[in-house]
Amino acid sequence: MKQIFLLILLLIFLISCSNNNSEVIDYKDNNLSNGGVLINAMSAEPSNLISMIAGDSASSAIASKIFNSLIRYDENLNFTSDIAESWKISKNQKTITFKIKKGLEWSDGVPLTSADVYFTWKLITNPNTRTPYGADYTLVSEAKIPDEHTFIVTYDQNYAPALDTWASLEILPKHILENEDINSTFFSRKPIGSNYYKLGDWISGQQVNLIKSDNGVLGAPHIDKLTSRIIPDTSSQFLELSAGNIDLMNINPIQFKRVFPAKPKLKRRTELYKEMGNGYTYLGFNLNKKPFDDKRVRQAINYAINKEEVIKGVLLGLGEPISSPYKPGTRWNNPSLKPYAYSPKKALSLLKEAGYKMSGNNFLVKEGKALEFEIITNQNKQREMTAVLIQRRLKEIGIKVSIRVIEWASFVNRFIKTGNFDVVVLGWSLSLDPDQYNIWHSSQQGPGQFNFVGYHNEKVDLLLEKGRRELDLDKREKIYHEFSKHLLEDSPIVYLYAGYGLTAVNKRIKGIKMPAPPAGIYHNSYNWYIPKSLRRNEFTDK
Amino acid sequence: MIFFKGNSLAIVGFIIISIILFVAIFAHFLSPYDPNYIDINSILLPPSLDHLMGTDGLGRDVLSRMLYGARISLFVGFVAVGIATLIGIILGSIAGFYGGWLDSVIMRLVDIMLSIPTFFLILAVIAFLTPSIWNIMIVIGLTSWMGVTRLVRAEFLSLRQRDYVLASIVMGTSNGKIITKHLLPNSLTPIIVSSVLGIASAVLIESGLSFLGLGVQAPTASWGNILTDGKEYIQFAWWLSLFPGLAILVTVLGYNLLGEGLRDVLDPKNK
């Protein structure tokens, strides 16, 4: 009895302890100062800190803080200087000359020169390098380094996405990697970079620590240390955020709309950010299979799906319907296109036109075969719920749908890469350049390539080829508007929604731009700071 | 009830299982809503008079889904255990009655199967098959027959030495008749007890598979997949985790109590 009493006392003591500390902080302090630690959560462990080899988002999130590219995007998505201080495109638009900043250094003190840039280009175009990104760089017919501060590339044909490709290639140090095998080098776990952070330590399965680098290409950041804790389960991440153990995490619509309003204490010390993401979720048909080779069937299904309902039910309203494969609000998005409005009537009349008749038990039948198929998707709650909503609407007009949820690796390898599916619910995240040759050109249908739905339209092929050769932005815009129009008309996929990216950040982190600029809230993360009074108490070795 | 006289835990088990069976069989009449009726205007409502167990992420009534989920869980339990028991009886009878090399082969097979962690074997197999309720029942059945086999064999080994069995053999009764008329009826008790306990573990395995997304597929409700849905919202939608969790707990407990009660009552050595 006595022990239980003591235990209860201890519990009360612990509860009162945890409640006290967060209340006294006044988050109004805005004084800029250097120092402090930012702790964020990531769902997956980076596989490899060399981006060109890794290819997963966890890796590139860390690597982008360690490495620089020749150029980068600014907050309005225009190109600006990074390693290169300027660049010039020749009159015939086939040659780009990059002028590299003087006096740059790797974090180990060795000078960074055009030789490193040339080395990186050689590396990514080397067929022995296991990278999915090589194709863009093999289009360079000639690369030259006349001196330490100049890098010149020449293309055989105009290549519009060229600058975008140089903004995404992270430059690697020649003096370390020259005699290493890039596919297996230990450098991938112990990188030496040139950006404002360098790797402190990496504890597998737990966390990656980045510490400030004083000789970075873009100068030094305000925050001394970035800790990325690896917490695969988002519910656990949220508990850590509630407990104040992490400062920043991506949240889902339920947390944004329901959980935060219900927790005033947590809300008081957390800022919520909402920005349109650069990606969308869709329902894709396997065009090589019947009946999806019939445009009328695809359009009918498009009409039968209520996208507003999906956005309201799955995203709690935190998404937008789309009608072209570009981020709403950008110049590439064709504003004159409208999504297929929800209309079961139109759907039915299109299906009747395609030869389907309603059978006795309320299912559509053509030549004795019922209209039925399987929707597959990966283990993603939002996609699964989306599929359930679609299943209901299609059942109402007489289409039998079953749903199958598959673990990601086997989903990609056994179903997508082999074309062994009827219909998928999936998402595309897009690069900032409008070129979507990889996704929609009919030549990109091989195993493992991105046009796995099997889309083929000669007009679209031509437009895509034209689009990547056109450097004039206005002309290019017209081409992609035209391309989106054909795509919407053919309906090889049903656009479901573009969701908002939602981020919760502890208010101690200052300097985040709101509302988010086109490049997103992270674009100026090196300018973020933590005022002295708001820092965590920490042991240091200094 | 009189059957279990004095064994109050067994009576509790019996009552629990009866209620769950009743609910599962009459789910159609008992559930207030269609378990798959989606209402996006009433997403994640807490329990109230309209929705006694609240609603889930798509506005479906959790109580109705729980009732239909009971059907799935029990159905899987019974059929899987039926398959396992059938295999167990056949292999156990052969091993116990004929002995010799047949016995050695079957018992080594049992040893091999027992050395593999069942749940992971099931996971691996299901990952290659289309996840459906039928596949799950078959796979659970095919991986949980070893206990019954050992029990039946042990019973047969001892029964075979009894005088009435020896007498039948001397009289020239066929082996099949001896097994079905004399040996099996006398070894029913341990088989029944182990089957009832087996249902409990089959219910658990089904819930586990559905929780991992490898079980019953959407939109069909099962306790396991309601529980997974609940995991997403556990910080504020407690009803989505509590009710299916409790249902699984109570059902498994019920079968275990009932199974042990049956053993106490049926086994003369315990009297």
Side-chain angles (χ1 to χ4, degrees):
Chain A
M1 199 59 217
K2 209 173 176 185
Q3 281 162 325
I4 294 176
F5 184 68
L6 276 175
L7 199 75
I8 293 172
L9 259 185
L10 185 72
L11 267 176
I12 293 171
F13 176 70
L14 282 177
I15 292 168
S16 52
C17 276
S18 63
N19 273 349
N20 281 343
N21 55 16
S22 60
E23 284 311 290
V24 282
I25 301 176
D26 171 22
Y27 287 99
K28 287 202 184 89
D29 185 355
N30 270 330
N31 295 320
L32 179 87
S33 70
N34 291 329
V37 185
L38 189 157
I39 306 175
N40 69 3
M42 52 201 307
S43 304
E45 175 148 14
S47 60
N48 181 326
L49 290 182
I50 304 175
S51 291
M52 70 165 83
I53 305 283
D56 57 302
S57 58
S59 302
S60 55
I62 300 276
S64 68
K65 297 193 168 71
I66 301 178
F67 295 102
N68 299 82
S69 304
L70 275 173
I71 51 176
R72 63 193 171 99
Y73 284 100
D74 70 4
E75 67 169 51
N76 294 316
L77 298 180
N78 298 315
F79 293 109
T80 182
S81 70
D82 198 353
I83 285 179
E85 60 183 357
S86 67
W87 62 96
K88 225 172 70 202
I89 299 171
S90 69
K91 273 232 172 79
N92 67 2
Q93 304 199 320
K94 287 180 181 150
T95 301
I96 312 173
T97 307
F98 295 96
K99 278 284 171 205
I100 291 163
K101 288 177 191 163
K102 297 200 168 105
L104 297 183
E105 274 180 6
W106 294 101
S107 62
D108 60 358
V110 175
L112 191 169
T113 65
S114 58
D116 293 303
V117 181
Y118 185 80
F119 168 77
T120 308
W121 172 74
K122 270 285 186 207
L123 204 58
I124 199 165
T125 52
N126 186 333
N128 293 329
T129 304
R130 289 189 215 118
T131 173
Y133 309 111
D136 288 337
Y137 304 93
T138 52
L139 297 172
V140 173
S141 57
E142 194 188 13
K144 277 189 297 194
I145 37 171
D147 61 61
E148 279 199 344
H149 304 293
T150 314
F151 177 66
I152 305 171
V153 283
T154 307
Y155 292 83
D156 277 341
Q157 281 182 303
N158 290 355
Y159 184 53
L163 283 177
D164 178 73
T165 66
W166 293 110
S168 45
L169 180 65
E170 287 169 0
I171 305 301
L172 299 170
K174 181 183 177 191
H175 67 281
I176 297 173
L177 289 168
E178 209 165 10
N179 300 313
E180 297 260 349
D181 175 10
I182 187 76
N183 300 311
S184 59
T185 173
F186 193 60
F187 184 82
S188 65
R189 280 194 78 90
K190 236 177 160 25
I192 301 289
S194 54
N195 215 339
Y196 33 81
Y197 285 100
K198 56 188 176 190
L199 186 69
D201 56 346
W202 177 355
I203 309 165
S204 282
Q206 290 183 31
Q207 58 185 32
V208 182
N209 286 313
L210 298 179
I211 45 176
K212 181 165 99 169
S213 167
D214 290 319
N215 53 352
V217 168
L218 297 170
H222 296 306
I223 296 174
D224 278 349
K225 186 174 164 192
L226 290 183
T227 299
S228 300
R229 290 182 52 197
I230 298 148
I231 309 175
D233 183 45
T234 50
S235 316
S236 321
Q237 283 186 7
F238 193 78
L239 290 177
E240 288 292 76
L241 184 82
S242 312
N245 293 334
I246 59 176
D247 296 318
L248 187 153
M249 70 174 278
N250 296 321
I251 57 174
N252 63 33
I254 296 279
Q255 288 162 337
F256 188 94
K257 281 262 175 169
R258 294 287 186 88
V259 182
F260 272 97
K263 297 193 167 194
K265 257 188 198 165
L266 178 61
K267 193 152 190 256
R268 215 173 304 145
R269 60 185 158 91
T270 319
E271 199 73 67
L272 299 181
Y273 295 91
K274 174 180 125 175
E275 53 182 318
M276 187 38 88
N278 204 18
Y280 63 91
T281 298
Y282 64 89
L283 178 95
F285 302 104
N286 188 342
L287 305 179
N288 297 319
K289 271 197 181 175
K290 276 192 189 298
F292 308 117
D293 54 345
D294 187 337
K295 184 162 109 182
R296 290 167 299 191
V297 174
R298 302 194 301 262
Q299 287 176 330
I301 292 173
N302 208 336
Y303 277 121
I305 296 173
N306 187 343
K307 291 108 196 162
E308 297 290 340
E309 164 190 88
V310 174
I311 291 170
K312 195 175 167 202
V314 177
L315 300 177
L316 301 179
L318 292 167
E320 300 286 339
I322 54 167
S323 48
S324 69
Y326 296 109
K327 182 170 164 174
T330 60
R331 70 182 303 163
W332 312 116
N333 182 54
N334 185 342
S336 66
L337 298 178
K338 294 279 166 287
Y340 285 65
Y342 173 58
S343 164
K345 251 190 206 156
K346 265 191 194 160
L348 273 176
S349 75
L350 274 166
L351 286 169
K352 288 209 172 111
E353 214 178 283
Y356 286 94
K357 285 197 182 78
M358 204 53 108
S359 74
N361 52 2
N362 280 335
F363 280 108
L364 288 162
V365 179
K366 180 183 177 181
E367 290 154 9
K369 266 183 78 180
L371 182 51
E372 60 179 314
F373 54 83
E374 182 183 67
I375 298 181
I376 61 169
T377 188
N378 65 309
Q379 289 174 329
N380 171 319
K381 203 80 228 162
Q382 289 184 351
R383 290 182 189 161
E384 194 185 320
M385 285 164 73
T386 305
V388 172
L389 286 170
I390 291 171
Q391 180 187 43
R392 184 223 350 208
R393 287 297 175 200
L394 294 185
K395 192 182 166 194
E396 284 174 359
I397 63 161
I399 303 175
K400 240 187 233 175
V401 174
S402 58
I403 297 172
R404 188 165 165 199
V405 181
I406 303 158
E407 178 270 327
W408 178 251
S410 77
F411 177 75
V412 171
N413 291 321
R414 285 176 53 209
F415 298 92
I416 299 301
K417 285 190 180 169
T418 55
N420 179 21
F421 66 91
D422 297 336
V423 174
V424 287
V425 172
L426 249 185
W428 277 123
S429 47
L430 302 167
S431 76
L432 294 170
D433 191 87
D435 180 31
Q436 294 190 4
Y437 185 88
N438 291 340
I439 303 179
W440 301 112
H441 196 273
S442 60
S443 67
Q444 304 296 308
Q445 298 183 20
Q449 286 183 308
F450 286 148
N451 188 358
F452 56 83
V453 295
Y455 182 59
H456 183 137
N457 179 333
E458 262 141 46
K459 277 186 203 150
V460 166
D461 281 358
L462 273 177
L463 285 167
L464 286 168
E465 287 159 23
K466 234 167 96 185
R468 57 183 357 208
R469 306 256 169 272
E470 183 55 67
L471 278 90
D472 184 284
L473 287 179
D474 292 328
K475 283 185 193 156
R476 220 176 161 208
E477 184 182 305
K478 274 205 189 101
I479 293 172
Y480 287 112
H481 282 187
E482 179 74 14
F483 151 72
S484 302
K485 206 176 117 194
H486 286 295
L487 206 59
L488 188 69
E489 160 75 20
D490 282 342
S491 191
I493 62 171
V494 175
Y495 300 116
L496 295 170
Y497 53 79
Y500 284 100
L502 307 169
T503 317
V505 188
N506 190 301
K507 280 189 181 161
R508 69 161 63 92
I509 312 293
K510 308 282 182 184
I512 305 176
K513 285 208 172 163
M514 196 66 201
I521 63 163
Y522 290 101
H523 90 280
N524 70 338
S525 58
Y526 58 94
N527 275 333
W528 295 358
Y529 63 95
I530 307 171
K532 253 196 186 113
S533 65
L534 300 181
R535 279 184 207 152
R536 293 163 197 281
N537 297 321
E538 259 217 305
F539 297 108
T540 63
D541 51 3
K542 279 173 199 155
Chain B
M1 294 288 183
I2 296 161
F3 188 64
F4 290 114
K5 62 176 178 276
N7 192 336
S8 54
L9 280 180
I11 293 173
V12 172
F14 180 76
I15 293 174
I16 292 174
I17 298 307
S18 310
I19 292 174
I20 291 173
L21 272 178
F22 174 80
V23 158
I25 292 167
F26 296 102
H28 185 69
F29 302 102
L30 293 173
S31 44
Y33 299 90
D34 176 346
N36 295 326
Y37 178 75
I38 295 165
D39 179 4
I40 57 162
N41 290 317
S42 49
I43 288 173
L44 294 171
L45 295 179
S48 64
L49 282 179
D50 281 342
H51 299 279
L52 287 177
M53 292 188 183
T55 60
D56 71 0
L58 284 171
R60 296 174 294 198
D61 181 56
V62 176
L63 175 61
S64 309
R65 291 180 72 72
M66 291 287 301
L67 295 176
Y68 277 87
R71 241 183 214 188
I72 300 280
S73 295
L74 295 191
F75 190 46
V76 170
F78 277 108
V79 177
V81 167
I83 295 171
T85 309
L86 193 70
I87 299 174
I89 288 176
I90 293 170
L91 291 180
S93 314
I94 295 172
F97 188 80
Y98 294 100
W101 64 271
L102 257 176
D103 181 29
S104 298
V105 169
I106 291 174
M107 291 328 283
R108 291 307 76 74
L109 185 67
V110 168
D111 290 342
I112 292 171
M113 288 296 289
L114 280 175
S115 70
I116 305 171
T118 320
F119 194 73
F120 293 100
L121 179 66
I122 294 174
L123 273 185
V125 174
I126 290 285
F128 276 97
L129 300 171
T130 322
S132 75
I133 179 169
W134 299 104
N135 282 336
I136 289 166
M137 293 187 300
I138 293 168
V139 172
I140 296 178
L142 289 180
T143 49
S144 49
W145 47 269
M146 293 80 76
V148 183
T149 309
R150 280 189 161 175
L151 278 174
V152 173
R153 172 180 174 269
E155 286 292 314
F156 273 36
L157 283 181
S158 83
L159 289 174
R160 233 189 92 103
Q161 307 303 324
R162 300 283 166 87
D163 290 341
Y164 64 92
V165 178
L166 293 176
S168 311
I169 296 174
V170 171
M171 279 158 58
T173 318
S174 73
N175 288 344
K177 204 163 186 185
I178 296 175
I179 291 176
T180 48
K181 288 272 172 203
H182 298 299
L183 297 181
L184 261 186
N186 282 304
S187 29
L188 265 185
T189 310
I191 296 176
I192 291 173
V193 172
S194 93
S195 304
V196 172
L197 294 175
I199 294 177
S201 81
V203 168
L204 261 187
I205 292 177
E206 186 276 323
S207 304
L209 285 174
S210 296
F211 183 76
L212 293 174
L214 290 169
V216 182
Q217 293 292 296
T220 314
S222 107
W223 292 343
N225 63 28
I226 301 174
L227 200 57
T228 331
D229 289 351
K231 196 185 78 158
E232 298 275 310
Y233 315 124
I234 198 160
Q235 284 119 16
F236 76 111
W238 50 271
W239 56 94
L240 272 175
S241 305
L242 181 71
F243 294 122
L246 266 184
I248 295 169
L249 176 91
V250 168
T251 310
V252 171
L253 183 74
Y255 276 112
N256 280 326
L257 291 177
L258 183 68
E260 280 172 17
L262 277 174
R263 181 166 58 209
D264 291 347
V265 172
L266 295 175
D267 193 344
K269 285 171 216 145
N270 282 347
K271 274 183 180 157

